[in-house]
Amino acid sequence: MGLLLVLRPPQSRPKRLRRATRAQRRERHRADAKEWATAEERGLLLDVSVEELLPLMNAAGGNRLPILGQLDPWSDGVLSREDLPQLNAEVDRLEAAAGDDVERGLVAALRTLLVRWRDEPGLALHWYGD
């Protein structure tokens, strides 16, 4: 199971088609896949394994983390730039709780993504769960 974190411009909520055809669903996924591949090349995407993230979050405070505690690996959501200072503080807590190289690598990747977000105005952090 994974959690996809993507820096992208804020998206208007498109109306969902109640009875989308397979072709319409396939085309939407194809467009998202192209955008995500480009974002990954630019360093604006992080694919996180929930199995790695959850134990680290629990060690750092779990649901008491105001922002990371709301990330739901089964749904989608958006964080705004106003969340960035709090998110940086929570990543500091993750860093303090990291116990092995895998967790430290995850924290480093999160920190790199947050630095890119700070340097790229006009983007929001979207998360997409499985």
Side-chain angles (χ1 to χ4, degrees):
M1 184 178 320
L3 187 65
L4 194 65
L5 302 171
V6 183
L7 292 173
R8 63 193 296 200
Q11 306 289 306
S12 61
R13 286 222 177 248
K15 243 184 177 178
R16 290 190 181 250
L17 299 173
R18 288 184 149 218
R19 296 183 184 267
T21 66
R22 278 192 194 146
Q24 288 170 321
R25 286 192 301 265
R26 225 181 357 254
E27 186 58 36
R28 179 170 175 113
H29 290 297
R30 189 175 299 124
D32 285 344
K34 286 179 186 176
E35 179 184 350
W36 293 343
T38 302
E40 189 171 28
E41 289 172 6
R42 294 185 55 214
L44 302 176
L45 179 139
L46 179 61
D47 192 359
V48 178
S49 167
V50 173
E51 289 82 14
E52 294 173 9
L53 181 61
L54 286 181
L56 179 58
M57 283 180 46
N58 289 336
N63 290 337
R64 292 188 311 268
L65 299 172
I67 294 178
L68 291 176
Q70 76 174 342
L71 294 181
D72 183 358
W74 296 278
S75 67
D76 303 340
V78 180
L79 298 174
S80 66
R81 289 188 67 82
E82 289 80 31
D83 296 320
L84 189 55
Q86 178 64 41
L87 193 54
N88 275 318
E90 292 181 22
V91 170
D92 290 341
R93 288 178 65 182
L94 290 179
E95 187 171 37
D100 60 26
D101 289 340
V102 172
E103 290 177 346
R104 284 188 281 280
L106 177 58
V107 170
L110 282 168
R111 195 166 303 285
T112 300
L113 187 67
L114 295 181
V115 167
R116 287 299 306 262
W117 190 15
R118 186 192 69 223
D119 294 343
E120 299 259 350
L123 298 181
L125 181 62
H126 297 252
W127 82 82
Y128 302 95
D130 282 342

mmCIF file of all heavy atoms in Angstrom, residues 59-105:
data_model
loop_
_atom_site.group_PDB
_atom_site.id
_atom_site.type_symbol
_atom_site.label_atom_id
_atom_site.label_comp_id
_atom_site.label_asym_id
_atom_site.label_seq_id
_atom_site.Cartn_x
_atom_site.Cartn_y
_atom_site.Cartn_z
ATOM 1 N N ALA A 59 5.795 6.323 16.241
ATOM 2 C CA ALA A 59 6.898 6.597 17.159
ATOM 3 C C ALA A 59 7.036 8.098 17.434
ATOM 4 O O ALA A 59 7.497 8.495 18.508
ATOM 5 C CB ALA A 59 8.207 6.051 16.584
ATOM 6 N N ALA A 60 6.628 8.929 16.463
ATOM 7 C CA ALA A 60 6.755 10.383 16.610
ATOM 8 C C ALA A 60 5.514 11.037 17.215
ATOM 9 O O ALA A 60 5.504 12.246 17.420
ATOM 10 C CB ALA A 60 7.055 11.016 15.258
ATOM 11 N N GLY A 61 4.480 10.283 17.477
ATOM 12 C CA GLY A 61 3.289 10.879 18.086
ATOM 13 C C GLY A 61 1.986 10.468 17.453
ATOM 14 O O GLY A 61 0.925 10.788 17.972
ATOM 15 N N GLY A 62 2.033 9.810 16.308
ATOM 16 C CA GLY A 62 0.826 9.286 15.668
ATOM 17 C C GLY A 62 -0.222 10.336 15.374
ATOM 18 O O GLY A 62 0.053 11.354 14.740
ATOM 19 N N ASN A 63 -1.424 10.114 15.867
ATOM 20 C CA ASN A 63 -2.550 11.007 15.592
ATOM 21 C C ASN A 63 -2.411 12.363 16.264
ATOM 22 O O ASN A 63 -3.183 13.268 15.991
ATOM 23 C CB ASN A 63 -3.865 10.355 16.007
ATOM 24 C CG ASN A 63 -4.218 9.197 15.098
ATOM 25 O OD1 ASN A 63 -3.768 9.133 13.961
ATOM 26 N ND2 ASN A 63 -5.005 8.280 15.606
ATOM 27 N N ARG A 64 -1.452 12.501 17.168
ATOM 28 C CA ARG A 64 -1.236 13.807 17.806
ATOM 29 C C ARG A 64 -0.468 14.755 16.883
ATOM 30 O O ARG A 64 -0.307 15.921 17.215
ATOM 31 C CB ARG A 64 -0.491 13.619 19.126
ATOM 32 C CG ARG A 64 -1.345 12.918 20.175
ATOM 33 C CD ARG A 64 -0.676 12.911 21.530
ATOM 34 N NE ARG A 64 0.696 12.471 21.514
ATOM 35 C CZ ARG A 64 1.106 11.209 21.698
ATOM 36 N NH1 ARG A 64 0.225 10.257 21.898
ATOM 37 N NH2 ARG A 64 2.384 10.904 21.687
ATOM 38 N N LEU A 65 -0.007 14.262 15.755
ATOM 39 C CA LEU A 65 0.616 15.131 14.755
ATOM 40 C C LEU A 65 -0.516 15.778 13.960
ATOM 41 O O LEU A 65 -1.244 15.093 13.241
ATOM 42 C CB LEU A 65 1.533 14.333 13.831
ATOM 43 C CG LEU A 65 2.705 13.612 14.488
ATOM 44 C CD1 LEU A 65 3.398 12.707 13.489
ATOM 45 C CD2 LEU A 65 3.682 14.599 15.084
ATOM 46 N N PRO A 66 -0.696 17.101 14.080
ATOM 47 C CA PRO A 66 -1.874 17.741 13.470
ATOM 48 C C PRO A 66 -1.994 17.551 11.962
ATOM 49 O O PRO A 66 -3.107 17.399 11.454
ATOM 50 C CB PRO A 66 -1.702 19.220 13.804
ATOM 51 C CG PRO A 66 -0.756 19.269 14.934
ATOM 52 C CD PRO A 66 0.099 18.038 14.838
ATOM 53 N N ILE A 67 -0.892 17.542 11.240
ATOM 54 C CA ILE A 67 -0.983 17.439 9.778
ATOM 55 C C ILE A 67 -0.732 16.011 9.319
ATOM 56 O O ILE A 67 -1.552 15.427 8.625
ATOM 57 C CB ILE A 67 -0.011 18.423 9.097
ATOM 58 C CG1 ILE A 67 -0.462 19.840 9.412
ATOM 59 C CG2 ILE A 67 0.038 18.174 7.593
ATOM 60 C CD1 ILE A 67 0.420 20.915 8.854
ATOM 61 N N LEU A 68 0.405 15.438 9.696
ATOM 62 C CA LEU A 68 0.699 14.073 9.262
ATOM 63 C C LEU A 68 -0.311 13.079 9.819
ATOM 64 O O LEU A 68 -0.588 12.065 9.191
ATOM 65 C CB LEU A 68 2.118 13.682 9.675
ATOM 66 C CG LEU A 68 3.238 14.400 8.942
ATOM 67 C CD1 LEU A 68 4.590 14.011 9.512
ATOM 68 C CD2 LEU A 68 3.186 14.104 7.454
ATOM 69 N N GLY A 69 -0.874 13.379 10.966
ATOM 70 C CA GLY A 69 -1.882 12.504 11.539
ATOM 71 C C GLY A 69 -3.172 12.445 10.737
ATOM 72 O O GLY A 69 -3.942 11.504 10.858
ATOM 73 N N GLN A 70 -3.394 13.446 9.877
ATOM 74 C CA GLN A 70 -4.611 13.445 9.063
ATOM 75 C C GLN A 70 -4.416 12.769 7.705
ATOM 76 O O GLN A 70 -5.387 12.555 6.986
ATOM 77 C CB GLN A 70 -5.117 14.876 8.859
ATOM 78 C CG GLN A 70 -4.319 15.672 7.858
ATOM 79 C CD GLN A 70 -4.916 17.024 7.567
ATOM 80 O OE1 GLN A 70 -6.074 17.268 7.847
ATOM 81 N NE2 GLN A 70 -4.123 17.915 7.003
ATOM 82 N N LEU A 71 -3.177 12.440 7.343
ATOM 83 C CA LEU A 71 -2.944 11.766 6.069
ATOM 84 C C LEU A 71 -3.567 10.384 6.122
ATOM 85 O O LEU A 71 -3.191 9.553 6.931
ATOM 86 C CB LEU A 71 -1.451 11.648 5.761
ATOM 87 C CG LEU A 71 -0.688 12.930 5.518
ATOM 88 C CD1 LEU A 71 0.760 12.622 5.209
ATOM 89 C CD2 LEU A 71 -1.302 13.749 4.413
ATOM 90 N N ASP A 72 -4.511 10.161 5.280
ATOM 91 C CA ASP A 72 -5.232 8.895 5.247
ATOM 92 C C ASP A 72 -4.785 8.124 4.010
ATOM 93 O O ASP A 72 -4.970 8.592 2.885
ATOM 94 C CB ASP A 72 -6.734 9.177 5.192
ATOM 95 C CG ASP A 72 -7.580 7.929 5.216
ATOM 96 O OD1 ASP A 72 -7.020 6.812 5.241
ATOM 97 O OD2 ASP A 72 -8.808 8.069 5.219
ATOM 98 N N PRO A 73 -4.183 6.937 4.210
ATOM 99 C CA PRO A 73 -3.685 6.193 3.049
ATOM 100 C C PRO A 73 -4.787 5.608 2.169
ATOM 101 O O PRO A 73 -4.488 4.981 1.171
ATOM 102 C CB PRO A 73 -2.839 5.086 3.676
ATOM 103 C CG PRO A 73 -3.333 4.942 5.052
ATOM 104 C CD PRO A 73 -3.868 6.276 5.469
ATOM 105 N N TRP A 74 -6.047 5.819 2.526
ATOM 106 C CA TRP A 74 -7.147 5.294 1.722
ATOM 107 C C TRP A 74 -7.951 6.401 1.055
ATOM 108 O O TRP A 74 -8.987 6.139 0.484
ATOM 109 C CB TRP A 74 -8.061 4.437 2.585
ATOM 110 C CG TRP A 74 -7.345 3.234 3.091
ATOM 111 C CD1 TRP A 74 -7.122 2.062 2.427
ATOM 112 C CD2 TRP A 74 -6.714 3.098 4.352
ATOM 113 N NE1 TRP A 74 -6.391 1.212 3.211
ATOM 114 C CE2 TRP A 74 -6.126 1.823 4.398
ATOM 115 C CE3 TRP A 74 -6.568 3.923 5.461
ATOM 116 C CZ2 TRP A 74 -5.427 1.354 5.496
ATOM 117 C CZ3 TRP A 74 -5.861 3.462 6.560
ATOM 118 C CH2 TRP A 74 -5.307 2.184 6.563
ATOM 119 N N SER A 75 -7.494 7.648 1.166
ATOM 120 C CA SER A 75 -8.233 8.744 0.535
ATOM 121 C C SER A 75 -7.250 9.764 -0.025
ATOM 122 O O SER A 75 -6.047 9.619 0.109
ATOM 123 C CB SER A 75 -9.173 9.407 1.542
ATOM 124 O OG SER A 75 -8.424 10.069 2.534
ATOM 125 N N ASP A 76 -7.790 10.800 -0.619
ATOM 126 C CA ASP A 76 -6.991 11.864 -1.216
ATOM 127 C C ASP A 76 -7.201 13.142 -0.419
ATOM 128 O O ASP A 76 -8.208 13.294 0.261
ATOM 129 C CB ASP A 76 -7.412 12.111 -2.669
ATOM 130 C CG ASP A 76 -7.315 10.862 -3.529
ATOM 131 O OD1 ASP A 76 -6.586 9.936 -3.142
ATOM 132 O OD2 ASP A 76 -7.961 10.826 -4.580
ATOM 133 N N GLY A 77 -6.267 14.073 -0.536
ATOM 134 C CA GLY A 77 -6.411 15.347 0.148
ATOM 135 C C GLY A 77 -5.378 16.342 -0.333
ATOM 136 O O GLY A 77 -4.510 16.020 -1.145
ATOM 137 N N VAL A 78 -5.486 17.566 0.173
ATOM 138 C CA VAL A 78 -4.605 18.653 -0.246
ATOM 139 C C VAL A 78 -4.170 19.444 0.983
ATOM 140 O O VAL A 78 -4.975 19.731 1.857
ATOM 141 C CB VAL A 78 -5.324 19.612 -1.231
ATOM 142 C CG1 VAL A 78 -4.404 20.740 -1.666
ATOM 143 C CG2 VAL A 78 -5.853 18.859 -2.429
ATOM 144 N N LEU A 79 -2.891 19.801 1.010
ATOM 145 C CA LEU A 79 -2.359 20.692 2.042
ATOM 146 C C LEU A 79 -1.970 21.999 1.374
ATOM 147 O O LEU A 79 -1.448 22.012 0.261
ATOM 148 C CB LEU A 79 -1.136 20.068 2.718
ATOM 149 C CG LEU A 79 -1.370 18.759 3.458
ATOM 150 C CD1 LEU A 79 -0.050 18.187 3.951
ATOM 151 C CD2 LEU A 79 -2.321 18.966 4.609
ATOM 152 N N SER A 80 -2.206 23.106 2.061
ATOM 153 C CA SER A 80 -1.881 24.421 1.501
ATOM 154 C C SER A 80 -0.528 24.895 2.045
ATOM 155 O O SER A 80 0.014 24.325 2.990
ATOM 156 C CB SER A 80 -2.973 25.431 1.837
ATOM 157 O OG SER A 80 -3.000 25.655 3.229
ATOM 158 N N ARG A 81 -0.020 25.962 1.475
ATOM 159 C CA ARG A 81 1.276 26.503 1.906
ATOM 160 C C ARG A 81 1.247 26.965 3.356
ATOM 161 O O ARG A 81 2.278 27.001 4.007
ATOM 162 C CB ARG A 81 1.701 27.645 0.994
ATOM 163 C CG ARG A 81 2.097 27.149 -0.392
ATOM 164 C CD ARG A 81 2.697 28.229 -1.236
ATOM 165 N NE ARG A 81 3.971 28.702 -0.780
ATOM 166 C CZ ARG A 81 5.141 28.111 -1.017
ATOM 167 N NH1 ARG A 81 5.172 26.980 -1.668
ATOM 168 N NH2 ARG A 81 6.262 28.638 -0.603
ATOM 169 N N GLU A 82 0.079 27.310 3.870
ATOM 170 C CA GLU A 82 -0.019 27.716 5.275
ATOM 171 C C GLU A 82 0.319 26.557 6.211
ATOM 172 O O GLU A 82 0.657 26.765 7.370
ATOM 173 C CB GLU A 82 -1.430 28.238 5.596
ATOM 174 C CG GLU A 82 -1.756 29.581 4.967
ATOM 175 C CD GLU A 82 -2.147 29.464 3.491
ATOM 176 O OE1 GLU A 82 -2.723 28.426 3.085
ATOM 177 O OE2 GLU A 82 -1.848 30.398 2.744
ATOM 178 N N ASP A 83 0.223 25.322 5.709
ATOM 179 C CA ASP A 83 0.545 24.141 6.506
ATOM 180 C C ASP A 83 2.046 23.844 6.555
ATOM 181 O O ASP A 83 2.489 23.014 7.344
ATOM 182 C CB ASP A 83 -0.170 22.902 5.930
ATOM 183 C CG ASP A 83 -1.674 23.014 6.004
ATOM 184 O OD1 ASP A 83 -2.174 23.519 7.026
ATOM 185 O OD2 ASP A 83 -2.345 22.593 5.046
ATOM 186 N N LEU A 84 2.820 24.517 5.726
ATOM 187 C CA LEU A 84 4.247 24.204 5.592
ATOM 188 C C LEU A 84 5.037 24.354 6.893
ATOM 189 O O LEU A 84 5.801 23.438 7.232
ATOM 190 C CB LEU A 84 4.863 25.031 4.463
ATOM 191 C CG LEU A 84 6.285 24.693 4.039
ATOM 192 C CD1 LEU A 84 6.418 23.226 3.660
ATOM 193 C CD2 LEU A 84 6.707 25.561 2.874
ATOM 194 N N PRO A 85 4.907 25.436 7.675
ATOM 195 C CA PRO A 85 5.691 25.521 8.923
ATOM 196 C C PRO A 85 5.366 24.392 9.903
ATOM 197 O O PRO A 85 6.281 23.801 10.490
ATOM 198 C CB PRO A 85 5.306 26.886 9.501
ATOM 199 C CG PRO A 85 4.804 27.672 8.347
ATOM 200 C CD PRO A 85 4.179 26.683 7.418
ATOM 201 N N GLN A 86 4.099 24.075 10.072
ATOM 202 C CA GLN A 86 3.723 22.987 10.971
ATOM 203 C C GLN A 86 4.233 21.655 10.444
ATOM 204 O O GLN A 86 4.709 20.808 11.199
ATOM 205 C CB GLN A 86 2.206 22.938 11.157
ATOM 206 C CG GLN A 86 1.730 21.806 12.039
ATOM 207 C CD GLN A 86 2.221 21.910 13.468
ATOM 208 O OE1 GLN A 86 2.246 22.994 14.031
ATOM 209 N NE2 GLN A 86 2.607 20.791 14.049
ATOM 210 N N LEU A 87 4.152 21.463 9.132
ATOM 211 C CA LEU A 87 4.623 20.221 8.529
ATOM 212 C C LEU A 87 6.129 20.068 8.720
ATOM 213 O O LEU A 87 6.619 18.969 8.997
ATOM 214 C CB LEU A 87 4.240 20.188 7.045
ATOM 215 C CG LEU A 87 4.368 18.863 6.331
ATOM 216 C CD1 LEU A 87 3.621 17.751 7.037
ATOM 217 C CD2 LEU A 87 3.859 18.993 4.906
ATOM 218 N N ASN A 88 6.875 21.166 8.593
ATOM 219 C CA ASN A 88 8.320 21.118 8.857
ATOM 220 C C ASN A 88 8.596 20.691 10.295
ATOM 221 O O ASN A 88 9.499 19.883 10.545
ATOM 222 C CB ASN A 88 8.973 22.474 8.583
ATOM 223 C CG ASN A 88 9.330 22.660 7.138
ATOM 224 O OD1 ASN A 88 9.835 21.763 6.488
ATOM 225 N ND2 ASN A 88 9.050 23.843 6.616
ATOM 226 N N ALA A 89 7.825 21.212 11.240
ATOM 227 C CA ALA A 89 7.998 20.842 12.650
ATOM 228 C C ALA A 89 7.697 19.359 12.858
ATOM 229 O O ALA A 89 8.396 18.677 13.624
ATOM 230 C CB ALA A 89 7.110 21.707 13.532
ATOM 231 N N GLU A 90 6.692 18.851 12.168
ATOM 232 C CA GLU A 90 6.357 17.440 12.306
ATOM 233 C C GLU A 90 7.415 16.543 11.685
ATOM 234 O O GLU A 90 7.713 15.465 12.203
ATOM 235 C CB GLU A 90 4.976 17.166 11.715
ATOM 236 C CG GLU A 90 3.877 17.819 12.532
ATOM 237 C CD GLU A 90 2.486 17.554 11.997
ATOM 238 O OE1 GLU A 90 2.284 16.565 11.261
ATOM 239 O OE2 GLU A 90 1.586 18.349 12.322
ATOM 240 N N VAL A 91 8.016 16.981 10.593
ATOM 241 C CA VAL A 91 9.103 16.203 9.995
ATOM 242 C C VAL A 91 10.314 16.199 10.932
ATOM 243 O O VAL A 91 11.023 15.199 11.029
ATOM 244 C CB VAL A 91 9.450 16.732 8.578
ATOM 245 C CG1 VAL A 91 10.721 16.100 8.045
ATOM 246 C CG2 VAL A 91 8.288 16.455 7.631
ATOM 247 N N ASP A 92 10.523 17.298 11.669
ATOM 248 C CA ASP A 92 11.572 17.307 12.696
ATOM 249 C C ASP A 92 11.300 16.231 13.744
ATOM 250 O O ASP A 92 12.230 15.537 14.182
ATOM 251 C CB ASP A 92 11.671 18.673 13.379
ATOM 252 C CG ASP A 92 12.229 19.759 12.468
ATOM 253 O OD1 ASP A 92 12.864 19.417 11.449
ATOM 254 O OD2 ASP A 92 12.016 20.952 12.782
ATOM 255 N N ARG A 93 10.043 16.085 14.134
ATOM 256 C CA ARG A 93 9.685 15.041 15.106
ATOM 257 C C ARG A 93 9.897 13.651 14.527
ATOM 258 O O ARG A 93 10.345 12.738 15.225
ATOM 259 C CB ARG A 93 8.239 15.203 15.560
ATOM 260 C CG ARG A 93 8.056 16.406 16.478
ATOM 261 C CD ARG A 93 6.647 16.618 16.909
ATOM 262 N NE ARG A 93 6.161 15.504 17.748
ATOM 263 C CZ ARG A 93 4.924 15.454 18.213
ATOM 264 N NH1 ARG A 93 4.058 16.410 17.942
ATOM 265 N NH2 ARG A 93 4.540 14.433 18.951
ATOM 266 N N LEU A 94 9.593 13.486 13.236
ATOM 267 C CA LEU A 94 9.857 12.204 12.581
ATOM 268 C C LEU A 94 11.351 11.908 12.576
ATOM 269 O O LEU A 94 11.767 10.769 12.817
ATOM 270 C CB LEU A 94 9.327 12.208 11.145
ATOM 271 C CG LEU A 94 7.823 12.212 10.920
ATOM 272 C CD1 LEU A 94 7.532 12.232 9.430
ATOM 273 C CD2 LEU A 94 7.157 11.030 11.577
ATOM 274 N N GLU A 95 12.139 12.938 12.301
ATOM 275 C CA GLU A 95 13.595 12.761 12.252
ATOM 276 C C GLU A 95 14.130 12.315 13.611
ATOM 277 O O GLU A 95 14.987 11.436 13.692
ATOM 278 C CB GLU A 95 14.260 14.066 11.822
ATOM 279 C CG GLU A 95 15.739 13.949 11.572
ATOM 280 C CD GLU A 95 16.299 15.208 10.949
ATOM 281 O OE1 GLU A 95 15.854 16.309 11.314
ATOM 282 O OE2 GLU A 95 17.194 15.070 10.091
ATOM 283 N N ALA A 96 13.603 12.900 14.675
ATOM 284 C CA ALA A 96 14.046 12.524 16.018
ATOM 285 C C ALA A 96 13.635 11.093 16.366
ATOM 286 O O ALA A 96 14.329 10.417 17.124
ATOM 287 C CB ALA A 96 13.471 13.498 17.045
ATOM 288 N N ALA A 97 12.521 10.625 15.792
ATOM 289 C CA ALA A 97 12.030 9.283 16.094
ATOM 290 C C ALA A 97 12.594 8.210 15.167
ATOM 291 O O ALA A 97 12.431 7.022 15.437
ATOM 292 C CB ALA A 97 10.506 9.270 16.021
ATOM 293 N N ALA A 98 13.246 8.612 14.067
ATOM 294 C CA ALA A 98 13.759 7.648 13.093
ATOM 295 C C ALA A 98 14.797 6.748 13.748
ATOM 296 O O ALA A 98 15.745 7.226 14.366
ATOM 297 C CB ALA A 98 14.356 8.373 11.886
ATOM 298 N N GLY A 99 14.600 5.439 13.597
ATOM 299 C CA GLY A 99 15.473 4.496 14.275
ATOM 300 C C GLY A 99 16.408 3.713 13.373
ATOM 301 O O GLY A 99 17.332 3.076 13.854
ATOM 302 N N ASP A 100 16.178 3.728 12.062
ATOM 303 C CA ASP A 100 17.063 2.980 11.171
ATOM 304 C C ASP A 100 17.278 3.764 9.875
ATOM 305 O O ASP A 100 16.726 4.839 9.679
ATOM 306 C CB ASP A 100 16.509 1.579 10.896
ATOM 307 C CG ASP A 100 15.132 1.584 10.246
ATOM 308 O OD1 ASP A 100 14.783 2.568 9.563
ATOM 309 O OD2 ASP A 100 14.414 0.587 10.401
ATOM 310 N N ASP A 101 18.093 3.205 8.988
ATOM 311 C CA ASP A 101 18.434 3.899 7.742
ATOM 312 C C ASP A 101 17.231 4.092 6.829
ATOM 313 O O ASP A 101 17.140 5.101 6.133
ATOM 314 C CB ASP A 101 19.535 3.138 6.997
ATOM 315 C CG ASP A 101 20.877 3.230 7.694
ATOM 316 O OD1 ASP A 101 21.061 4.163 8.509
ATOM 317 O OD2 ASP A 101 21.751 2.380 7.420
ATOM 318 N N VAL A 102 16.310 3.133 6.815
ATOM 319 C CA VAL A 102 15.117 3.255 5.970
ATOM 320 C C VAL A 102 14.281 4.443 6.429
ATOM 321 O O VAL A 102 13.848 5.263 5.613
ATOM 322 C CB VAL A 102 14.287 1.949 6.007
ATOM 323 C CG1 VAL A 102 12.951 2.135 5.298
ATOM 324 C CG2 VAL A 102 15.062 0.812 5.382
ATOM 325 N N GLU A 103 14.071 4.554 7.729
ATOM 326 C CA GLU A 103 13.281 5.670 8.258
ATOM 327 C C GLU A 103 13.996 6.997 8.057
ATOM 328 O O GLU A 103 13.366 7.993 7.715
ATOM 329 C CB GLU A 103 12.970 5.434 9.734
ATOM 330 C CG GLU A 103 11.988 4.302 9.960
ATOM 331 C CD GLU A 103 11.720 4.014 11.421
ATOM 332 O OE1 GLU A 103 12.478 4.508 12.298
ATOM 333 O OE2 GLU A 103 10.738 3.294 11.692
ATOM 334 N N ARG A 104 15.306 7.020 8.248
ATOM 335 C CA ARG A 104 16.055 8.263 8.013
ATOM 336 C C ARG A 104 16.011 8.658 6.539
ATOM 337 O O ARG A 104 15.917 9.847 6.207
ATOM 338 C CB ARG A 104 17.494 8.121 8.496
ATOM 339 C CG ARG A 104 17.618 8.198 10.014
ATOM 340 C CD ARG A 104 19.072 8.256 10.465
ATOM 341 N NE ARG A 104 19.722 6.970 10.452
ATOM 342 C CZ ARG A 104 19.600 6.043 11.407
ATOM 343 N NH1 ARG A 104 18.845 6.276 12.453
ATOM 344 N NH2 ARG A 104 20.231 4.887 11.314
ATOM 345 N N GLY A 105 16.027 7.680 5.636
ATOM 346 C CA GLY A 105 15.899 7.965 4.205
ATOM 347 C C GLY A 105 14.543 8.533 3.862
ATOM 348 O O GLY A 105 14.426 9.451 3.040
#
